[in-house]
Amino acid sequence: MPFPKRLHQFTKEHADAVAALACGLFLFCGWFALHLGFLGWALLLLPIAYVIGGYESAREGLTTLIKEKELDVDLLMIVAALGAAGLGLWRREYYLIIDGAILILIFAISGALEGYAMQRTERSIRSLMSLTQDTARVVRRGNEEVIPIKQLQVGDEIIVKPGELIPTDAVILEGYSTLNQAAITGESLPVEKTVGDEVFAGSLNGYGALKLKLYQPPESSLIQRVIRLVQQAQTETPPSQQFIERFERGYARVIVIAGVLLLILPPFLWNWDWETAIYRALTFLVVASPCALMAAIMPTLLSGIANGARQGILFKNGAQLEMIGKVRAIAFDKTGTITTGLLEVCEVIPTSEYTKDDVLKAAVAVESRSEHPLGLAIVKAAKNLDWQAATEVQAFPGQGIVGIINNQEVIAGKDDFVKKYVANLPKNLIEIATNLELQGKTVVWIAEKRWGDGEKERWGERFHPTIPLPQHQVLGIIAIADTVRSQAAETISRLKKLGIEQIVMLTGDNQQTAESVAQELGVDRVYAELLPEDKLHVIRRLQQEYKTVAMVGDGINDAPALAQASVGIAMGTAGSDVALETADIVLMADRLEKIEVAIRLGKRTQAIVKQNITIALGFIILLLIGNFLGEINLPIGVVGHEGSTVLVTLSGLRLLKN
């Protein structure tokens, strides 16, 4: 790139810093000329410093005054600087022009530093954007083509080579690899992915080449939804900042009125000379301006949002970052939130004549022909066994399933269904099954009937009294349940230690299952057999009791409660689109322990905002007292005012650290 072009780009990217540097240079030259007695040169150079350093502030201040009919702190700074220059020319005390120029210089430097500080927050947020690919490598008509992401269509097959970013959400058709999903879900360890698994745009592929199939438009991908929500969070102003902005507009008027009174009254009340009164009034305009107060909130909230996004916690706006720190009660949906939402075999209990593998092999032989969720759980549990699929399979909806394997009739189903084939179920298994069902688990009984050579066909011809009737035997039972998330109990315990007063579980499941899960986790209250509107009513009752209530859910049926709650938290990976759109906070990795992280981040945000407001008000009060007592001049007032502004901005950026 040619030097002139590089210079233009540099000055464009660092315009505030360049303006402050040029202002400082002309100020120094003007001061040096005045020191040497070259008044003409000084009066030429110093106005240039005023124009370069104060142009942007004057433009913004006048725009606000003309368009919004409101006074702006930028305009107050310019008025104070010009007032000092005018007073210096009037009294021929030209050092006052230097004071005004110093005011503008420090204001310009402060603006540049604040700009760099805010850019650091924005860079953290914009890093999400860098995770999106512009192009994807697709297979069309047997050839690989590189096309823009926006041209992808549902059904396209995408090739991702080792070390490349996943271009859009898709399902793996071929290949095996480990993916680094840290930028999307906040998970620090790579995740193994193989055929049938879903992958997310922005994940970094490991050592294996993958062929993916696109199942939804690229704009619906998780990372695109995250980017849209983060952009929305940046533009929305939380209630606390709205209050500060309303306060600032009224406060600016008060400053102007108080400045006029300070200009007029002291010469009559305390015999100040007019020059002193004017100088003190101008200094008052500087030190009383609420710049630090204005910077006390938004940098902090934006830093908190960026911190959360880095850890897989997506705050849709700053208001929810503030609100999460005030939560007193949390309601959890059960299925898919406290539990994984996926049925798994948790126990296999054989009779004394058989082994666990015998039970699973018999069960999977018939259940492999079924699409029922219980059957899918059994197939998953038997994936490492060598088994053979049954034939002549017949399913009895809501009851069980029957099939033939190696001349054996295998029955799997409820106890009442199996009783039709087995005269007496083992008493010890009945007792175990009853206890398992009390724990909220579903019990599948497995039995078989052995046939000798030709016996099945001859029994099919009916009456053959000379052939003994084969006996059905119970092989064992299989307990299946929607397993509780491994981190659920620890999360609930830590939330209570954090000061959450009430942990509630809401579910559409039966009371017995809900009570079993709640007892295991240490949940305070359980509301079972709820419809979506029932969950909404429970949240309203909790809000009457605890004011600030969070709701954690993942499904469409949780959407009304998520919307009603003070803070709605959705599980990002497992959550439905409706839940994600309705919620205020999204946990990208479906990790419940991130709720504690979010609450701690909210509390820390509140603490830093309060500290910043205290610092800002403290500086204003001290500077006002010093000005009234005549202990500070205009440059010192500017240093104190702008220093406090930079200080609270940098204080807010502390949240960028984990």
Side-chain angles (χ1 to χ4, degrees):
M1 184 184 295
F3 177 74
K5 194 170 183 179
R6 289 204 305 270
L7 180 62
H8 173 73
Q9 184 176 346
F10 177 83
T11 54
K12 185 177 180 180
E13 292 176 357
H14 306 276
D16 291 343
V18 171
L21 183 64
C23 176
L25 181 62
F26 280 101
L27 170 58
F28 174 78
C29 292
W31 168 83
F32 192 65
L34 189 62
H35 181 71
L36 295 177
F38 299 127
L39 182 60
W41 279 103
L43 295 179
L44 174 65
L45 294 169
L46 290 174
I48 296 176
Y50 273 69
V51 171
I52 294 175
Y55 170 77
E56 192 62 30
S57 295
R59 186 183 63 81
E60 291 180 6
L62 289 172
T63 300
T64 303
L65 181 64
I66 294 169
K67 290 187 176 180
E68 301 179 21
K69 304 295 188 293
E70 297 288 350
L71 288 170
D72 188 275
V73 291
D74 293 322
L75 190 59
L76 293 180
M77 293 297 104
I78 299 301
V79 169
L82 293 176
L87 184 61
L89 289 171
W90 176 30
R91 296 180 59 179
R92 296 188 179 182
E93 295 176 1
Y94 300 111
Y95 69 88
L96 292 176
I97 305 177
I98 302 292
D99 286 356
I102 292 173
L103 189 159
I104 286 179
L105 173 62
I106 297 176
F107 199 61
I109 293 172
S110 173
L113 290 175
E114 288 176 52
Y116 282 129
M118 293 308 299
Q119 283 174 18
R120 184 179 173 190
T121 301
E122 290 169 3
R123 277 198 303 272
S124 296
I125 294 175
R126 280 203 307 270
S127 62
L128 286 171
M129 318 302 179
S130 65
L131 299 174
T132 58
Q133 291 276 79
D134 295 325
T135 59
R137 188 181 293 106
V138 299
V139 179
R140 289 183 175 173
R141 296 177 293 276
N143 298 318
E144 289 188 13
E145 300 178 21
V146 177
I147 65 172
I149 291 289
K150 61 184 179 182
Q151 292 182 13
L152 287 173
Q153 298 176 355
V154 174
D156 276 345
E157 294 182 359
I158 303 168
I159 302 296
V160 180
K161 296 182 178 181
E164 293 183 343
L165 287 175
I166 303 295
T168 187
D169 291 8
V171 173
I172 298 178
L173 277 181
E174 297 177 14
Y176 170 86
S177 186
T178 57
L179 267 64
N180 185 338
Q181 302 181 146
I184 310 300
T185 64
E187 295 174 290
S188 57
L189 297 177
V191 180
E192 295 182 350
K193 297 283 185 177
T194 188
V195 175
D197 290 338
E198 184 179 12
V199 296
F200 301 116
S203 302
L204 183 63
N205 188 23
Y207 54 81
L210 299 174
K211 179 185 280 189
L212 313 175
K213 185 173 183 178
L214 185 63
Y215 66 91
Q216 65 178 359
E219 60 270 17
S220 300
S221 68
L222 185 61
I223 186 64
Q224 291 297 336
R225 295 207 302 267
V226 169
I227 289 171
R228 286 196 294 271
L229 292 172
V230 170
Q231 288 173 331
Q232 175 185 333
Q234 283 184 281
T235 57
E236 289 186 359
T237 306
S240 59
Q241 183 67 18
Q242 291 174 3
F243 169 77
I244 290 292
E245 288 176 359
R246 288 195 303 271
F247 170 79
E248 184 236 354
R249 288 192 286 269
Y251 183 70
R253 296 191 192 98
V254 172
I255 288 175
V256 172
I257 294 171
V260 172
L261 293 176
L262 189 59
L263 173 66
I264 297 172
L265 294 181
F268 297 103
L269 297 179
W270 297 293
N271 294 321
W272 287 11
D273 59 72
W274 285 102
E275 290 82 358
T276 301
I278 293 172
Y279 191 78
R280 293 295 165 210
L282 293 174
T283 307
F284 172 81
L285 290 179
V286 173
V287 300
S289 294
C291 293
L293 200 57
M294 294 296 295
I297 297 176
M298 281 309 292
T300 306
L301 295 183
L302 288 176
S303 299
I305 290 171
N307 185 320
R310 241 185 4 247
Q311 299 191 69
I313 306 166
L314 175 61
F315 295 94
K316 291 189 179 180
N317 57 58
Q320 302 311 324
L321 178 57
E322 291 182 303
M323 188 65 71
I324 190 69
K326 303 175 184 177
V327 165
R328 296 174 55 199
I330 301 180
F332 288 90
D333 168 57
K334 183 180 81 71
T335 306
T337 302
I338 286 180
T339 65
T340 61
L342 302 173
L343 294 177
E344 292 184 8
V345 171
C346 49
E347 288 189 61
V348 179
I349 303 170
T351 57
S352 57
E353 297 88 357
Y354 298 93
T355 66
K356 290 183 179 182
D357 285 356
D358 292 334
V359 177
L360 271 178
K361 285 180 181 180
V364 74
V366 290
E367 293 290 3
S368 62
R369 301 296 190 182
S370 169
E371 292 299 321
H372 193 281
L374 294 176
L376 297 177
I378 290 173
V379 171
K380 182 180 178 182
K383 65 181 180 180
N384 295 323
L385 299 179
D386 184 16
W387 54 272
Q388 181 180 347
T391 59
E392 301 180 41
V393 175
Q394 185 178 5
F396 298 85
Q399 296 295 313
I401 191 169
V402 178
I404 303 296
I405 176 172
N406 294 332
N407 285 327
Q408 297 177 34
E409 185 177 53
V410 177
I411 302 99
K414 294 181 177 180
D415 54 355
D416 290 341
F417 179 71
V418 175
K419 280 179 185 177
K420 296 176 183 178
Y421 298 84
V422 180
N424 296 303
L425 301 180
K427 290 183 179 180
N428 66 317
L429 285 188
I430 292 175
E431 185 176 341
I432 293 171
T434 301
N435 289 332
L436 289 170
E437 288 171 346
L438 288 174
Q439 297 171 24
K441 298 179 173 68
T442 299
V443 176
V444 178
W445 288 77
I446 311 298
E448 68 174 12
K449 177 168 67 173
R450 297 182 182 275
W451 298 91
D453 291 340
E455 285 182 348
K456 183 187 173 212
E457 290 76 11
R458 280 175 283 168
W459 270 102
E461 297 168 7
R462 305 181 69 152
F463 309 106
H464 290 276
T466 58
I467 303 174
L469 178 68
Q471 295 296 311
H472 285 84
Q473 300 180 63
V474 173
L475 278 66
I477 57 176
I478 298 175
I480 300 173
D482 177 8
T483 54
V484 174
R485 291 182 186 271
S486 58
Q487 69 273 27
E490 178 67 16
T491 296
I492 289 172
S493 173
R494 294 174 73 93
L495 287 173
K496 289 182 177 180
K497 291 177 182 177
L498 197 56
I500 303 300
E501 300 173 33
Q502 194 75 199
I503 304 290
V504 178
M505 188 172 76
L506 312 180
T507 180
D509 277 357
N510 63 72
Q511 188 73 35
Q512 183 175 296
T513 301
E515 290 285 359
S516 172
V517 174
Q519 187 174 3
E520 178 184 347
L521 299 178
V523 171
D524 298 316
R525 291 192 219 171
V526 177
Y527 296 88
E529 301 174 19
L530 300 177
L531 296 173
E533 58 266 30
D534 297 328
K535 293 183 179 181
L536 174 67
H537 297 322
V538 171
I539 293 296
R540 284 176 176 166
R541 290 201 297 272
L542 288 172
Q543 285 175 322
Q544 291 174 358
E545 188 174 353
Y546 295 99
K547 304 301 181 188
T548 308
V549 176
M551 168 69 191
V552 189
D554 72 311
I556 293 174
N557 62 340
D558 298 321
L562 288 170
Q564 174 63 37
S566 311
V567 182
I569 304 173
M571 309 296 279
T573 305
S576 69
D577 287 343
V578 175
L580 294 178
E581 292 298 324
T582 306
D584 305 301
I585 300 172
V586 179
L587 305 181
M588 304 306 298
D590 287 358
R591 292 170 59 185
L592 286 179
E593 66 266 28
K594 292 295 184 179
I595 296 174
E596 182 203 0
V597 177
I599 292 174
R600 289 189 183 279
L601 190 57
K603 289 181 179 292
R604 192 171 168 217
T605 299
Q606 284 183 294
I608 290 177
V609 166
K610 289 176 182 176
Q611 292 168 12
N612 288 350
I613 291 174
T614 302
I615 291 170
L617 292 177
F619 265 86
I620 289 173
I621 292 170
L622 288 175
L623 291 171
L624 286 174
I625 294 172
N627 178 53
F628 187 77
L629 296 176
E631 297 297 326
I632 62 172
N633 56 23
L634 191 57
I636 293 176
V638 173
V639 170
H641 174 267
E642 297 304 322
S644 65
T645 304
V646 172
L647 182 62
V648 298
T649 301
L650 295 176
S651 172
L653 296 185
R654 286 183 288 160
L655 279 178
L656 288 176
K657 295 183 179 179
N658 290 336

